[in-house]
Amino acid sequence: ESDPSCKPNHRLLVKLANKDFENCKDDLTVLSIETKGYQDEKISSVFLTMKKNDYMEKFDLLIPDTAKIKLVKGSGPITLLGSHCLDFYDYRNYGGEETEEEEDA
């Protein structure tokens, strides 16, 4: 038996950007993110700029919805490191009502 209100919410937490120093020809590398905002309004914002001699950048970026990450200026490859997070909002309230008979078993 599954409860549809106990559906997981997927998030992406990006912590680190790493640029390939062998193929770094441009002076500046710029990454932007495009996602949905309030009332499904399209939002686009720059979240990372790296100069020619910056090969690694640490930051915290939580992406709560589907998003597109674009290379606005510069050349790749750029590796983004982070983690995939799952949130179960109503999980504690689901199935928490146990009878005394179930607890004794």
Side-chain angles (χ1 to χ4, degrees):
E1 175 180 347
S2 64
D3 184 11
S5 67
C6 189
K7 185 174 154 183
N9 184 16
H10 297 269
R11 295 175 181 216
L12 181 64
L13 179 62
V14 183
K15 304 283 280 180
L16 181 85
N18 191 9
K19 187 168 57 169
D20 186 12
F21 61 90
E22 293 177 359
N23 296 328
C24 181
K25 300 170 190 166
D26 300 317
D27 290 335
L28 188 65
T29 303
V30 179
L31 291 178
S32 73
I33 186 166
E34 185 177 293
T35 187
K36 291 180 188 177
Y38 180 68
Q39 294 182 345
D40 292 332
E41 184 178 339
K42 185 177 172 183
I43 297 173
S44 181
S45 177
V46 171
F47 72 92
L48 179 69
T49 57
M50 296 175 79
K51 294 181 181 179
K52 186 172 187 174
N53 294 329
D54 295 338
Y55 301 114
M56 186 178 1
E57 188 73 33
K58 294 179 183 179
F59 58 96
D60 289 326
L61 176 65
L62 180 64
I63 304 171
D65 202 1
T66 57
K68 292 181 183 178
I69 296 175
K70 296 181 180 180
L71 183 62
V72 177
K73 184 176 180 182
S75 60
I78 295 179
T79 305
L80 299 175
L81 301 174
S83 61
H84 175 231
C85 306
L86 289 175
D87 289 331
F88 293 93
Y89 286 114
D90 290 332
Y91 187 68
R92 287 182 284 168
N93 298 331
Y94 176 69
E97 301 173 12
E98 295 182 1
T99 61
E100 291 181 16
E101 295 172 0
E102 292 176 353
E103 291 177 1
D104 293 336

